Structure formats: C-alpha cells, structure tokens
Amino acid sequence: MTVAKRRAVTLADVAAKAGVSRSTASRALNHSARISRETTKRIIKLAHEMGFVPNAQGRALAVGRTETIAILVTEPLDELFADPTYAVYISGVTEKLGESSYLPVLLQSSTEFERSRVLQHMERQAFDAVIDISPYADRTILEEMHTLAIPGVLLGQMENQLYEGVFSIVYSDDTQGARLAAQVMRDRGRRHPVVILGPKSNPATPDRLKGYRSVYGDSLSEDRVFFTGWDASAGFTAMRRLLERVDKIDGVLAGSDRIAAGVIEALQGLGISVPNDVSVVGFDDHPLAKTVNPPLTTVHQPLRSEGFMAADLAMKMIEGEEPVTKVMQMSITMRDSL
C-alpha cells in the first residue's frame, strides 16, 4: 500500500490561517520590530501548532543575514591541531553558538591561495561576523574586514592596542598571568630562574616577559631568557642550551605547558630532579599539564570562556552593538612541579 507523503506546512499556510499577509507572517517569525508583540506571539504560536518549519535560506533572506559566523585561523593547519589553545577557543565559540541559530564555519588562511579565497567570501558577504583566533599572524584580512565593515572579534591582544574600537577584542592579561607564575616561583625560594618563551613576534611573548621581570627584575638578564617555539621539542632544546650556557638554574618559567613538558623531559634526562633541584611553572593549563610527570604547576588561562565571550560579542555586533574590549583574569593552578 502506498502512503501519501504529507505536504509540508508553508509560510503561506501560516499567513492564511493567521489572517495576515505572507510578509507580515515572515516578519513576525523573524521577530521584526515592525510587528507588534501581540501579533508576533500569536503567529509564532500558530506556526508551532501547525508544525511549520522555517526554511533556513528563506529566513536568512528575510533578515538580510547568512546566519553563519566564521572562525578565522591564520596559523598553518598543523599548528591549529598541535596547539590545544585553538581547540579550546573553538570549543568555547561553538558552545555559545550552539545556543543560537548561528552556524560556525572554519576559515583557514595560512597560504596565499587560502587568503585570496577568504577575501572573496568576505567581498560576497558570505558570513555575518568573523572571530579571528590568531589575529597577530596576518593583518591583511583584518584590514579587509575593516574596509567592508564586517563585524569582528579578535581573540588575543594586538600590539599597540591596534583595532581597539574597530573590532571587539577578548584576551587574558598575559602580564598578570606571568607575574603570578613568577611570584609562586619566588615564594618557593627560587632565586635563579630562567625563562623560555615562544617567538618574539607573538604579542603574548613580551607581555609574559614583562610579568616575569616585574617579580625578578634585573636577575632575569638577557642571557637567562630564551625565545623559541611553543612546543615540547622547542622546550627540550632550549633547556639543554640554557644548561650549557648558564651556571646556576633553580627554576624555569615556561611560556606554555608544551614548552614546560619539554623542559621537564630535558632535565630528567640529565638526572636533574623536578621539583627538588629545579622547579618548573608552565602557562595555559591545558590537559597536558595534568599528564606530565610530575604534574605541572601552571597559569590557568580561561580559554574556553574567552571563546564563549567572543561568540557572544560577535552576535551582539551583528545586532548593531559597538565593539568592546574584554580582559580576562588568570590564576595559578598548583601541582607538583613547583
């Protein structure tokens, strides 16, 4: 026996049942301010009772939006997957957008071809807002966003407060976080630490060095500071080199948890005990910090909350709100490496 397929309820059906025009029904279902609250409530209730399912494309046309928010990554793809920071950012963004009608779309822009493709999509207004999770890596797209007046949120601080008042900005206070790390190191009685940081070009690097030096001052001379990559391999190599050139080391202030993991491996490989001989403090408080041996004392950066807030600000900017800057505070997670 053939069962007849039930016809889907259309917007025209809802409008006819409500005794209004199709355009009025559309505006009410999209919460237009042009329709009274009473009429809007009545039409939405009626649509629900009739089983009306709005067409996403039609709804987007009605409100002049795509209902997508782009998550822009300008770092190479392998770094995106290697650095847990990005995964936690994206998790926070998608968690917040999951409460809304907005769909997150990942935009990769680490090559010329990818950058050109992203710019084309921007010119076509293919999304309603952009959340840039590595804004320091490439200003080309930020400039185009500014020119096209695309609402944007930057996850991370830019040098010289660039783009403040143009885009919303969300970041954690790296100087404050590093100050906390240096203070617990000093409280542990360590007077001869070294610092291993990421690339000088990353805006977080000078801020974290500033925080460390606010506690240790001149004792953190240039020969006791090493700039490298953010990963464990970089931390391992940097620690070995510092041990060769610096006479006395009783603590390591690492610019990331991944660096710290490499530092601990290098020290233990030479028979140096952590924390009995040398204390190590990391930065970020990624899941990795719990699994290294010994578990890592580290600066907790509220990355998921930053992503969550970035998504919230993006949606508010789409609605016409002005850009704002939000600075998150960091804290110390105490474990056994100190």
Side-chain angles (χ1 to χ4, degrees):
M1 181 177 69
T2 302
V3 179
K5 186 177 179 181
R6 185 179 177 183
R7 185 177 71 86
V9 178
T10 67
L11 179 63
D13 295 332
V14 176
K17 186 75 171 178
V20 299
S21 69
R22 195 170 177 277
S23 60
T24 297
S26 175
R27 291 191 182 100
L29 291 171
N30 287 295
H31 299 274
S32 170
R34 297 171 61 182
I35 308 300
S36 71
R37 185 176 300 177
E38 292 76 15
T39 300
T40 294
K41 287 175 65 176
R42 181 172 67 86
I43 292 174
I44 289 175
K45 182 175 183 293
L46 185 61
H48 179 72
E49 292 172 349
M50 295 175 66
F52 173 68
V53 179
N55 176 274
Q57 186 177 13
R59 185 178 187 277
L61 289 171
V63 297
R65 296 174 187 161
T66 66
E67 295 205 305
T68 60
I69 292 179
I71 302 172
L72 178 65
V73 184
T74 48
E75 294 280 13
L77 196 59
D78 55 352
E79 183 66 15
L80 172 65
F81 290 108
D83 189 343
T85 298
Y86 299 121
V88 183
Y89 275 156
I90 292 171
S91 178
V93 171
T94 56
E95 181 183 349
K96 181 61 180 177
L97 294 185
E99 302 172 356
S100 74
S101 62
Y102 286 98
L103 183 70
V105 176
L106 187 64
L107 288 183
Q108 180 68 24
S109 177
S110 61
T111 67
E112 271 307 317
F113 173 76
E114 291 170 344
R115 187 178 300 109
S116 174
R117 184 176 57 187
V118 168
L119 292 173
Q120 289 174 12
H121 281 291
M122 286 185 173
E123 289 167 359
R124 293 200 296 264
Q125 304 288 320
F127 23 77
D128 299 321
V130 176
I131 298 172
D132 191 343
I133 65 174
S134 50
Y136 49 83
D138 186 356
R139 291 187 194 170
T140 305
I141 291 178
L142 295 178
E143 286 299 319
E144 187 69 8
M145 286 168 57
H146 188 192
T147 300
L148 296 172
I150 297 173
V153 182
L154 311 185
L155 267 171
Q157 192 175 12
M158 297 288 286
E159 188 178 2
N160 300 321
Q161 303 298 323
L162 199 62
Y163 299 113
E164 189 168 24
V166 175
F167 304 121
S168 285
I169 303 171
V170 181
Y171 67 94
S172 291
D173 189 336
D174 286 294
T175 301
Q176 178 237 2
R179 186 182 300 116
L180 292 173
Q183 191 60 59
V184 296
M185 180 75 76
R186 191 173 183 85
D187 291 346
R188 175 68 172 78
R190 303 307 191 184
R191 295 293 182 266
H192 308 286
V194 293
V195 171
I196 303 177
L197 287 160
K200 288 184 178 181
S201 58
N202 190 302
T205 297
D207 285 347
R208 292 178 187 181
L209 181 57
K210 179 181 177 182
Y212 296 142
R213 281 181 166 157
S214 71
V215 174
Y216 278 101
D218 293 340
S219 61
L220 277 181
S221 55
E222 293 298 326
D223 63 318
R224 304 185 75 86
V225 178
F226 200 101
F227 300 98
T228 183
W230 295 111
D231 61 7
S233 175
F236 181 95
T237 302
M239 190 70 250
R240 286 293 182 92
R241 290 181 180 173
L242 281 166
L243 288 168
E244 291 172 358
R245 78 185 194 193
V246 178
D247 290 334
K248 193 169 185 179
I249 299 174
D250 59 8
V252 181
L253 293 162
S256 75
D257 292 342
R258 292 190 295 158
I259 289 174
V263 165
I264 291 173
E265 183 184 354
L267 290 170
Q268 292 176 338
L270 295 173
I272 300 171
S273 172
V274 177
N276 294 333
D277 300 323
V278 177
S279 294
V280 179
V281 178
F283 212 110
D284 292 325
D285 202 12
H286 289 314
L288 166 70
K290 299 178 184 178
T291 62
V292 296
N293 186 25
L296 186 63
T297 292
T298 185
V299 179
H300 176 77
Q301 184 173 191
L303 300 170
R304 186 182 301 275
S305 296
E306 289 180 50
F308 195 92
M309 180 174 289
D312 184 57
L313 292 176
M315 290 187 286
K316 287 178 177 176
M317 290 185 71
I318 292 169
E319 296 297 331
E321 292 195 19
E322 293 296 315
V324 297
T325 296
K326 298 286 187 180
V327 183
M328 313 286 279
Q329 297 302 302
M330 300 198 196
S331 59
I332 285 285
T333 300
M334 301 294 291
R335 297 193 182 94
D336 299 334
S337 67
L338 188 62

